Amino acid sequence: MVENQVKIDQLLQVIKNTFGMSGLNLLFSWLPMVFAIFLTEIKAVRFRKFIQTVTTLPNFISWVLVYSLAFSMFSSEGIVNGMLRQLGMTDSPVLFLQNSDHVWLTMWLWTTWKALGWSAILYIAAIMGIDDSLYEAAHVDGATRMQVIRHVVLPSMLPTYFVLLMLQIASFLNNGLEQYFVFQNAFNKDSIQVLDLYVYNLAMGGGSYSVSVAISMLKSLISVVLLFSVNGLSKMLRGESIV
């Protein structure tokens, strides 16, 4: 494989895609924590439960169904293109699903839509576990709502955030397969192909089982190295580790 320049370029593009999409997920890893705070700050219980239910349900939808939803909305004959034509904003359909220019961002948006509510559950549990005496002390001191969040809620959630962040860094190269498999097409294949999908395509499409096994083993080895690296760094900086 290393003697084939086309294969090398293809693998470099795959690594670039993997780093780009995992990097976006890592960059916005704080979003579920903020969303959990937003939810717990809603005082209307029924409305809060409605929002939590609506944002948690997508986690149980398979990626095949998610793609069906995306196709009905964003295909050339989908709802969005129909609305754009009716509003006179375009004469020809916009090829959202075939566009490779913003595929990293669109994949991140679909991932976030699917997992945000589910990922916030751990943070909501952490907020529920905060000692009431801390809230009472803050109120006695005259703290505002934002000051309570800043000095009581956030410090109590940070240990949970750091543990989840470390696990996410250790899984940096593991994007999964299903999402990218159902969204890939001939137009976005170069930009959407991450390592897991590349290994699958190599083994099932190209018959290169030995190469796919070698890449999988290397990926697993790097994940272990990443896990122990962030674990050691956390122990050195925070005095806490997960392994």
Side-chain angles (χ1 to χ4, degrees), residues 25-45:
N25 288 327
L26 203 60
L27 187 63
F28 292 97
S29 58
W30 48 269
L31 207 53
M33 183 170 65
V34 173
F35 183 64
I37 295 174
F38 162 75
L39 277 180
T40 52
E41 285 298 309
I42 298 175
K43 299 304 178 190
V45 177

Side-chain angles (χ1 to χ4, degrees), residues 45-227:
V45 177
R46 287 187 178 180
F47 181 63
R48 184 175 71 226
K49 287 185 177 179
F50 172 75
I51 296 292
Q52 188 174 359
T53 303
V54 167
T55 54
T56 303
L57 281 179
N59 179 70
F60 300 98
I61 303 173
S62 73
W63 278 111
V64 175
L65 288 179
V66 171
Y67 181 75
S68 299
L69 176 65
F71 188 81
S72 64
M73 292 179 66
F74 298 108
S75 67
S76 57
E77 299 298 327
I79 297 171
V80 174
N81 269 308
M83 290 176 64
L84 291 176
R85 280 197 294 269
Q86 285 184 355
L87 294 172
M89 298 177 70
T90 178
D91 295 327
S92 56
V94 181
L95 303 178
F96 293 105
L97 297 177
Q98 290 91 335
N99 192 338
S100 63
D101 292 342
H102 311 292
V103 70
W104 295 0
L105 181 62
T106 53
M107 289 299 101
W108 173 78
L109 287 172
W110 282 113
T111 302
T112 302
W113 173 77
K114 196 172 184 298
L116 183 63
W118 180 258
S119 303
I121 289 176
L122 280 176
Y123 293 111
I124 293 172
I127 294 174
M128 295 296 110
I130 296 175
D131 194 335
D132 287 340
S133 63
L134 294 175
Y135 288 113
E136 292 169 5
H139 290 142
V140 168
D141 291 340
T144 63
R145 213 163 168 178
M146 288 303 296
Q147 287 172 328
V148 170
I149 292 174
R150 180 181 174 188
H151 297 290
V152 176
V153 178
L154 276 178
S156 301
M157 296 174 74
L158 283 180
T160 303
Y161 173 70
F162 280 121
V163 169
L164 294 177
L165 182 65
M166 290 166 65
L167 293 176
Q168 196 170 350
I169 292 174
S171 303
F172 192 79
L173 299 180
N174 299 314
N175 300 84
L177 167 67
E178 191 178 357
Q179 175 185 2
Y180 307 98
F181 181 78
V182 298
F183 273 92
Q184 75 168 344
N185 53 55
F187 301 96
N188 65 15
K189 188 174 181 179
D190 288 341
S191 302
I192 203 172
Q193 199 167 215
V194 293
L195 269 174
D196 288 321
L197 179 58
Y198 182 64
V199 167
Y200 173 83
N201 287 335
L202 268 182
M204 299 299 147
S208 303
Y209 297 104
S210 56
V211 177
S212 62
V213 169
I215 293 175
S216 296
M217 290 176 66
L218 181 61
K219 188 165 70 75
S220 301
L221 180 64
I222 293 174
S223 296
V224 172
V225 171
L226 283 173
L227 175 62

